[in-house]
Amino acid sequence: MPGEETTPRGPGEPTGPGEPRGATPAPPLKRAIGPKLLLLFVIGDILGTGIYATTGKVAGKVGGALWLPFVIGFVVAILTAASYVELVGKYPKAAGAALYTQKAFRVPFLTFIVAFMVMCSGLSSASAAARAFSGDYLAEFTDAVPPTLIAILFIVALAALALRGVSESVKTNVVLTLVELTGLVIILAIGAWAVLTGEGEPSRLGEFQASGAGYALLSSVLGATALGFFAFVGFEDSVNMAEETRDPVRAFPRAIFTGVAVTGTVYVLVALVSSLLVDHRTLEKSSGPLLEVVKAGGLDFPPKAFALIALFAVTNSALINIMMASRLCYGMANERILPRAMGRVLPVRRTPVTGILFVTVLAIGLVSTGEIAGLGDTTAFLLLCVFAVVNIAVLVLRRDRVEHPHFRTPTALPVLGAITALILASPLADREADVYIRAGVLLAIGIGLWVLNKTVMRVRGEA
């Protein structure tokens, strides 16, 4: 059946991840994801830590006009999502942005840096989720265990689940997605009740943290948008599941566009409700800002019940990001960017075991040294840089024709996508210095791995 076919390899390509030409093909990844599962996967990947944990930090940057950064973030996400849809339709293989960069620019070092930035963005996102899990939401139940230890154990537990298999992980994602959507519906219900009963302060919706106008106001809004963009990341992860999706050329356009539209609408509404009911200074101080909204709402909803929902939500974010980072390792090994060992697959489970173990170690390092806001902003910064490259790549690759039909985005969208991504990644976005330092350290690790891999390949005569 067409949905069960494995991704064909081009002429002269290695037959498996890290294998020499002419070797016996490695076992392909299992195509276990249909259109509905993919849509829920995209929604579940976007929803989660960003809206549940960093809404307060966004409010601290922009003030009561909390909704505006999410509107801008939605526009930027749609622009780049269109580029990803075109590229995954042309090249339905694992490795995502790394594959597109290599095909467009043919510069192996740039390809590696892009791939490593994507992987690290997933790990910093999972680490932010782990930190959110061990914060104010968990404190509703207990604060007896050190938060850092909880976050580390949390990462290890999700890695074990990822090793079980993609089907088990994606089905878990479906359950957790429905739970986290329920939590956001509760927030919207509280907001609707507040509007009907005349509660809240509508005047806050137009207040900005920065007084006056000009550069200060622009920097405040851009900084809030850059951090708030963390809530939108995730749609790009789904393209790394192309080799595990049935009929990816047809499934991805609907899944990505619908997923971004649904989550964007929910985010803006949740931001409006949050600012309506809670002052931005109170939101800023909390690692569980939506819990503050529940407590301030007129509806008598148990805070502990909502805290439990939030814990499920951030768990979902971390699980998906660990899965995606490990698949990216597999894809990079397939393209000979990382050592062949990174492409090893468990014989029975057919999951990328080495990749999962590798990203778990890196995630533990990040979660031990960062906090929610810094890790979230690091995720956004890394991906904004990658998005700029991908938006340019889609234009360069227009000269590369493929035999099968696929989605083609209007040329203006990737152009605008590249420009907006670069602006939000620039110092104009009022970003803390530790974000650039953390990203720099991660890139230094990546460059070290690149040099090591090239050295090993030369010694083996494979370069």
Side-chain angles (χ1 to χ4, degrees):
M1 294 178 64
E4 299 299 326
E5 293 176 358
T6 58
T7 304
R9 302 183 188 279
E13 290 186 1
T15 54
E19 295 177 0
R21 289 173 174 79
T24 302
L29 297 174
K30 183 178 180 181
R31 291 195 181 274
I33 305 174
K36 293 180 181 179
L37 269 181
L38 182 63
L39 174 59
L40 284 173
F41 186 91
V42 172
I43 293 175
D45 200 1
I46 300 175
L47 291 179
T49 304
I51 195 68
Y52 275 92
T54 61
T55 301
K57 307 304 178 185
V58 175
K61 284 181 174 287
V62 74
L66 177 57
W67 54 272
L68 181 58
F70 289 103
V71 170
I72 300 174
F74 169 70
V75 173
V76 176
I78 281 291
L79 293 174
T80 300
S83 292
Y84 271 94
V85 169
E86 175 170 337
L87 291 171
V88 75
K90 289 180 74 172
Y91 315 109
K93 298 174 66 176
L99 175 65
Y100 312 146
T101 302
Q102 178 61 22
K103 285 185 174 293
F105 305 108
R106 304 292 179 180
V107 179
F109 181 72
L110 176 62
T111 300
F112 178 78
I113 291 299
V114 167
F116 197 77
M117 290 176 77
V118 172
M119 186 187 74
C120 289
S121 72
L123 297 180
S124 59
S125 179
S127 300
R131 277 294 186 180
F133 185 91
S134 63
D136 288 348
Y137 291 122
L138 186 63
E140 285 290 310
F141 302 96
T142 180
D143 57 0
V145 184
T148 301
L149 177 59
I150 292 175
I152 291 173
L153 293 175
F154 175 79
I155 291 291
V156 171
L158 293 183
L161 177 59
L163 282 170
R164 287 280 300 170
V166 66
S167 180
E168 290 82 357
S169 299
V170 172
K171 288 175 182 176
T172 300
N173 162 253
V174 171
V175 175
L176 295 179
T177 296
L178 295 176
V179 171
E180 64 189 358
L181 276 172
T182 300
L184 297 178
V185 169
I186 290 169
I187 294 295
L188 298 183
I190 289 173
W193 179 260
V195 171
L196 291 174
T197 58
E199 296 183 20
E201 293 292 337
S203 61
R204 280 199 291 255
L205 301 179
E207 294 177 352
F208 288 90
Q209 174 76 352
S211 58
Y215 178 78
L217 180 58
L218 175 64
S219 180
S220 174
V221 172
L222 289 178
T225 301
L227 179 56
F229 192 74
F230 170 52
F232 285 96
V233 301
F235 64 86
E236 78 289 345
D237 285 340
S238 64
V239 302
N240 292 309
M241 304 299 287
E243 293 187 46
E244 295 170 275
T245 300
R246 296 192 294 270
D247 197 2
V249 175
R250 291 186 179 182
F252 272 95
R254 180 176 297 179
I256 290 181
F257 285 131
T258 303
V260 173
V262 169
T263 53
T265 301
V266 171
Y267 283 173
V268 173
L269 293 175
V270 168
L272 287 168
V273 171
S274 300
S275 187
L276 180 71
L277 294 177
V278 184
D279 183 79
H280 73 273
R281 288 173 286 270
T282 302
L283 291 171
E284 182 182 12
K285 294 176 182 177
S286 176
S287 61
L290 298 190
L291 190 59
E292 302 295 333
V293 177
V294 171
K295 293 177 178 179
L299 291 178
D300 188 20
F301 191 86
K304 286 185 182 297
F306 186 83
L308 184 61
I309 290 173
L311 292 175
F312 279 121
V314 298
T315 297
N316 199 30
S317 295
L319 172 62
I320 294 177
N321 278 288
I322 286 176
M323 288 174 59
M324 290 308 99
S326 64
R327 266 62 182 183
L328 185 53
C329 282
Y330 170 88
M332 286 192 288
N334 219 12
E335 295 292 324
R336 301 303 303 275
I337 300 172
L338 281 179
R340 66 182 64 181
M342 303 300 293
R344 288 178 180 168
V345 176
L346 281 178
V348 177
R349 292 290 176 182
R350 291 165 66 184
T351 52
V353 55
T354 311
I356 291 172
L357 295 177
F358 177 69
V359 301
T360 299
V361 171
L362 290 184
I364 290 173
L366 284 172
V367 85
S368 301
T369 57
E371 299 296 333
I372 294 174
L375 291 169
D377 209 358
T378 301
T379 302
F381 170 72
L382 290 169
L383 281 180
L384 286 165
C385 293
V386 171
F387 288 172
V389 175
V390 169
N391 279 304
I392 296 171
V394 77
L395 298 174
V396 174
L397 288 170
R398 290 284 170 83
R399 65 193 178 195
D400 183 25
R401 303 288 182 174
V402 295
E403 295 181 359
H404 61 272
H406 61 86
F407 173 85
R408 179 186 172 98
T409 183
T411 302
L413 298 190
V415 173
L416 292 174
I419 293 172
T420 53
L422 288 172
I423 290 174
L424 291 178
S426 75
L428 288 173
D430 188 30
R431 187 172 283 109
E432 296 291 336
D434 70 297
V435 173
Y436 294 108
I437 293 172
R438 185 179 296 108
V441 170
L442 290 171
L443 284 178
I445 294 173
I447 292 171
L449 288 173
W450 165 264
V451 172
L452 176 62
N453 185 52
K454 294 294 287 185
T455 301
V456 171
M457 290 180 68
R458 286 194 185 97
V459 169
R460 294 178 176 176
E462 299 174 356

